[in-house]
Amino acid sequence: MSSLKITRWWLVRHAPVQNPKRLVYGQSDMPADLSDEKALAALARQLPGDAVWVTSHLSRTHDTARSLQAFMDKDVTPQAESGFAEQHFGDWELQNWNDLPKGETTRFWTDFARQHPPKGESFADVVARVGPVFGRLSADWAGRDIVAVVHGGTVRAMLANALGLSLETALAFHIDTLGLTTLEYIDGVDEPGWRVTAVNQRF
């Protein structure tokens, strides 16, 4: 019989985005506001010391990861995965919500799970994009702790993939900036599988 092996994912949504003009930013590279050192330090204390780190390719996730590591006295280069990026809002990127065509936005919000902005992604597309990356890294780092500093949509997509959730159920999870969600994959038992140990914890 194989020995018990637990792979733990520590999912962190990046720090708040500096967005005074209230733009749609999705996959646009907007800077993170890292001024709340108390919140960053409190979150850093919850993270495992001996972990691999991964971010999306966007600077707000990488910069948040580096800031958290500074409070942990760690220097681990995060692996950047573009497949973990936030939902792409296509032609709406860097536009103010109030300036978008009302017909397009109304149609989008009637079925947010499956509708997509012009030249952009639906949440269903995000779930399909995130799934293979999540599976590959879970296999590559089986039995390890993995800190993933990513995006709200990415965290929901990972929950959907791990638990086989419907799109609507996955979208019901509220994921705050600097919120921590933890998942475990239990292997070496009769029925291996995922379990959720926390969602959107704040410290």
Side-chain angles (χ1 to χ4, degrees):
M1 181 178 177
S2 58
S3 59
L4 182 68
K5 182 184 292 184
I6 302 177
T7 307
R8 293 184 176 90
W9 281 87
W10 305 73
L11 310 179
V12 174
R13 185 182 176 191
H14 58 78
V17 165
Q18 299 176 26
N19 186 22
K21 295 182 179 179
R22 300 180 62 82
L23 304 179
V24 181
Y25 54 88
Q27 286 193 23
S28 298
D29 206 9
M30 301 279 280
D33 177 359
L34 300 167
S35 61
D36 192 347
E37 295 189 355
K38 182 178 179 181
L40 287 161
L43 174 56
R45 286 194 292 270
Q46 309 302 316
L47 301 177
D50 183 23
V52 291
W53 288 66
V54 61
T55 64
S56 78
H57 67 292
L58 297 169
S59 65
R60 59 185 181 268
T61 63
H62 186 272
D63 292 347
T64 300
R66 284 306 206 182
S67 183
L68 289 167
Q69 288 184 12
F71 287 103
M72 301 169 67
D73 196 25
K74 293 288 178 183
D75 184 13
V76 179
T77 301
Q79 179 171 320
E81 292 283 350
S82 60
F84 277 170
E86 183 58 282
Q87 184 170 349
H88 196 297
F89 285 90
D91 289 345
W92 297 354
E93 293 273 337
L94 298 182
Q95 304 297 311
N96 188 287
W97 280 108
N98 293 330
D99 296 334
L100 298 175
K102 289 296 184 285
E104 290 181 0
T105 56
T106 298
R107 185 169 60 251
F108 177 70
W109 290 117
T110 57
D111 186 8
F112 176 57
R114 296 171 184 81
Q115 292 289 331
H116 56 81
K119 300 179 184 176
E121 292 180 303
S122 66
F123 180 64
D125 295 328
V126 178
V127 172
R129 164 166 59 76
V130 167
V133 184
F134 182 44
R136 169 171 54 82
L137 298 182
S138 294
D140 288 349
W141 296 327
R144 295 289 306 275
D145 284 296
I146 307 158
V147 176
V149 184
V150 288
H151 308 268
T154 313
V155 173
R156 294 184 190 95
M158 293 166 87
L159 287 166
N161 277 284
L163 303 179
L165 303 177
S166 70
L167 299 174
E168 289 78 10
T169 300
L171 284 170
F173 286 103
H174 181 71
I175 307 296
D176 288 308
T177 51
L178 299 181
L180 175 64
T181 297
T182 49
L183 305 175
E184 295 180 341
Y185 187 78
I186 313 298
D187 201 1
V189 294
D190 291 340
E191 296 184 13
W194 289 98
R195 67 183 179 189
V196 178
T197 52
V199 176
N200 199 38
Q201 285 185 301
R202 299 298 305 276
F203 304 96

